[in-house]
Amino acid sequence: MEIKILVDNTAKGKFLAQSGFSAIIKDNDSKILFDCGQNALVFENNLKLMDEDDNFDAVIFSHGHYDHTDGFNYFIEKYGENLDVPIYIHEASFVDRYHGKRYIGIDENIKDFLKNYKNLKIVEKPVKISENLIISGTIPRNNYYEREDFEKIENGQKTEDIILDDMFVIVKDIILSGCTHSGLINCVEHAKTLKDVNGIIGGFHMGSVSENYINQVKDYLNDQDFRLVSPMHCTGFNATKELSYVKGFKFGHVGSVFEI
């Protein structure tokens, strides 16, 4: 099995970088897309630069933020109603979301397409797609984590948004996260109730957290003794620097290929 990073804030060589995340999961004869980044053009260009086609067997969205979903316009523009692959998304992903005055939810065109899509799979509880791939479903938040001031529209009013739809996938024994809005420790602890895990890669959402929290996560990961730890996307420079001292650390970027 392998995980190829298609969209990330950092790129190497010929690839394009953009804030967001997308990864390709390959397992025997299947190819799964996890998130789509924020832009169809970047998504398409990196796909071509990787010599990958777009014949995915399924699409999984980690949560309903534009930088993980809006690259999906590539599929709408190319295939429209002829698209027919299962798409997995949490039921809470369709809310209107804001960070201050800025809208950060799913593009309205994509929302409308997905709501009427014939092969949409609404996820709340864990879903086992195959022997080597499990979608987390809703992540219990039993351990401390730091949140940003995200908001959503509910009954016509802005209220706090804790990103209830935040999900990850377990690829064999590695956690692949979009943003870990639920907190990295909560994600790993939930994963351990589903399967034995030995690593985590993806966005850790630690760009604006306190030094104390960075140290808490660092100590926790050291205790896990994982074989692979690769923070990307929203992890932030300071957190990535500190986590580089954790056993199993590997710097990740667009073009990275992880053999699982």
Side-chain angles (χ1 to χ4, degrees):
M1 295 189 70
E2 68 177 24
I3 297 172
K4 301 177 76 171
I5 306 305
L6 184 62
V7 177
D8 184 56
N9 300 39
T10 305
K12 186 176 181 180
K14 59 186 178 180
F15 301 109
L16 302 180
Q18 186 175 50
S19 178
F21 194 70
S22 178
I24 299 170
I25 304 166
K26 290 188 174 182
D27 180 13
N28 297 322
D29 294 329
S30 70
K31 187 166 77 169
I32 310 296
L33 179 64
F34 180 72
D35 284 345
C36 299
Q38 67 162 285
N39 180 277
L41 181 61
V42 171
F43 178 91
E44 181 178 13
N45 282 350
N46 281 346
L47 202 64
K48 289 179 179 177
L49 290 170
M50 284 185 182
D51 294 321
E52 290 283 354
D53 55 35
D54 59 14
N55 62 334
F56 295 100
D57 296 293
V59 177
I60 302 169
F61 288 115
S62 65
H63 62 296
H65 276 162
Y66 75 100
D67 53 339
H68 295 256
T69 60
D70 286 9
F72 186 76
N73 274 318
Y74 165 85
F75 294 98
I76 296 176
E77 293 164 3
K78 183 172 181 179
Y79 294 104
E81 294 181 357
N82 293 321
L83 185 68
D84 187 21
V85 297
I87 297 174
Y88 296 85
I89 191 168
H90 194 282
E91 60 180 357
S93 291
F94 295 100
V95 297
D96 292 332
R97 321 191 109 130
Y98 290 85
H99 193 198
K101 294 183 178 180
R102 182 187 179 198
Y103 178 78
I104 59 170
I106 303 174
D107 176 81
E108 291 297 335
N109 181 51
I110 298 174
K111 274 190 190 179
D112 291 342
F113 181 89
L114 292 177
K115 286 177 180 178
N116 296 291
Y117 187 63
K118 55 194 172 184
N119 206 354
L120 190 69
K121 309 290 186 183
I122 297 296
V123 177
E124 183 179 6
K125 298 179 180 179
V127 175
K128 187 174 184 179
I129 293 183
S130 68
E131 190 62 33
N132 291 318
L133 192 64
I134 301 172
I135 305 175
S136 70
T138 305
I139 301 164
R141 305 187 184 199
N142 300 320
N143 299 277
Y144 174 78
Y145 68 106
E146 294 186 5
R147 300 203 298 261
E148 281 194 65
D149 54 343
F150 292 118
E151 294 179 301
K152 63 183 177 180
I153 300 293
E154 193 168 70
N155 299 320
Q157 299 292 324
K158 278 189 178 181
T159 62
E160 182 185 16
D161 184 10
I162 65 169
I163 326 295
L164 186 64
D165 50 317
D166 178 47
M167 300 193 298
F168 58 80
V169 295
I170 303 174
V171 183
K172 196 173 181 180
D173 63 347
I174 301 297
I175 301 163
L176 175 62
S177 66
C179 269
T180 61
H181 285 291
S182 306
L184 182 141
I185 296 173
N186 287 318
C187 289
V188 174
E189 289 300 307
H190 181 48
K192 286 158 66 174
T193 69
L194 303 174
K195 197 174 184 182
D196 290 336
V197 292
N198 199 16
I200 180 168
I201 66 177
F204 292 2
H205 200 70
M206 297 170 66
S208 60
V209 301
S210 66
E211 184 178 346
N212 284 340
Y213 182 67
I214 291 174
N215 289 330
Q216 181 183 352
V217 171
K218 180 180 175 182
D219 291 343
Y220 175 82
L221 287 173
N222 274 323
D223 289 341
Q224 301 308 303
D225 198 31
F226 283 157
R227 67 179 174 89
L228 176 60
V229 175
S230 186
M232 285 175 271
H233 176 38
C234 54
T235 307
F237 177 80
N238 288 335
T240 300
K241 183 179 75 170
E242 288 302 315
L243 295 179
S244 68
Y245 297 103
V246 171
K247 180 184 176 183
F249 175 86
K250 183 176 181 180
F251 182 66
H253 49 76
V254 179
S256 292
V257 179
F258 299 91
E259 298 294 337
I260 307 299

